[in-house]
Amino acid sequence: MTYSNPQSKQISNRNYLTATGFKFILAKYPKIDFLSNSVQIPSVNLGVAVQSTYLKDIPVPGDKLTYDEFTLEFLVDEEMENYLTIHNWIRGLGYPESVKEYADLIFNDPITPGVFNAFSGEANASLLVYNSNYNPITEIRFQGLFPVSLSAVGFDARDTQSSYITATATFKYTIYDIIKL
């Protein structure tokens, strides 16, 4: 007969995760990562199949995962470089005026400039999660990330205090992996 230690079933670190302990990294466009204001690790859902029986239908685990969109809220810098980077990325993917905008996006890829790559419109990104001592503990790696929406930027001359402009970008991606560091 084997006995398990009851202490081994308890969590070892009783410190709480802080809401400010994160950093978003996008190697392809480094100008948008340092002013991240708010992010959420997207939810993941497993589909459910139904096994029919003569008494009751029984839910069983399905075979497809669905991931929610990744949303990033960021402070817009004074030159609007981070906002324009995402704006131009979306514009290049959608080529609203000409196919040249897409070609410029592909051939001006900061990672592989001048090389045609059908996936140049996509990027890999990481969300680092820090512990209470601000040491990285987990990395969430997004694969095939690309923007699908960018919020409006609002100005208000009636604002008497110096408040900073934020914008929200929403991304789709293929999958994300959670890596314990």
Side-chain angles (χ1 to χ4, degrees):
M1 201 176 220
T2 60
Y3 295 98
S4 66
N5 182 355
Q7 297 296 335
S8 68
K9 296 183 183 191
Q10 298 294 318
I11 60 172
S12 59
N13 184 344
R14 299 224 179 237
N15 293 327
Y16 301 114
L17 197 59
T18 65
T20 59
F22 71 93
K23 180 179 181 181
F24 180 67
I25 301 168
L26 185 59
K28 183 174 188 165
Y29 298 113
K31 291 184 179 183
I32 69 167
D33 67 354
F34 64 95
L35 296 174
S36 302
N37 202 23
S38 170
V39 297
Q40 290 183 353
I41 299 171
S43 66
V44 59
N45 299 293
L46 176 63
V48 177
V50 177
Q51 179 180 351
S52 296
T53 68
Y54 68 95
L55 294 175
K56 179 183 183 290
D57 290 343
I58 301 171
V60 294
D63 60 350
K64 288 189 179 179
L65 295 176
T66 56
Y67 292 92
D68 280 350
E69 296 172 332
F70 176 65
T71 304
L72 168 71
E73 182 182 305
F74 59 97
L75 293 164
V76 178
D77 67 280
E78 195 171 57
E79 302 286 323
M80 292 183 67
E81 286 184 83
N82 54 3
Y83 185 86
L84 290 173
T85 298
I86 297 174
H87 175 269
N88 294 339
W89 190 3
I90 290 175
R91 202 176 151 98
L93 289 171
Y95 47 91
E97 291 183 358
S98 72
V99 179
K100 183 181 180 312
E101 289 179 279
Y102 181 69
D104 288 344
L105 175 75
I106 300 301
F107 286 109
N108 295 325
D109 186 301
I111 304 297
T112 56
V115 177
F116 177 77
N117 180 352
F119 297 102
S120 289
E122 299 178 358
N124 293 334
S126 293
L127 178 65
L128 290 176
V129 178
Y130 296 102
N131 65 10
S132 57
N133 293 325
Y134 291 97
N135 295 318
I137 54 168
T138 304
E139 179 182 4
I140 293 95
R141 289 187 189 154
F142 295 91
Q143 298 174 23
L145 185 94
F146 60 95
V148 293
S149 73
L150 181 61
S151 70
V153 173
F155 296 95
D156 188 353
R158 299 170 295 177
D159 191 1
T160 59
Q161 297 180 354
S162 293
S163 58
Y164 300 107
I165 304 272
T166 61
T168 302
T170 303
F171 298 89
K172 292 281 191 181
Y173 52 92
T174 306
I175 194 168
Y176 68 81
D177 297 309
I178 300 176
I179 295 103
K180 193 86 170 147
L181 302 177

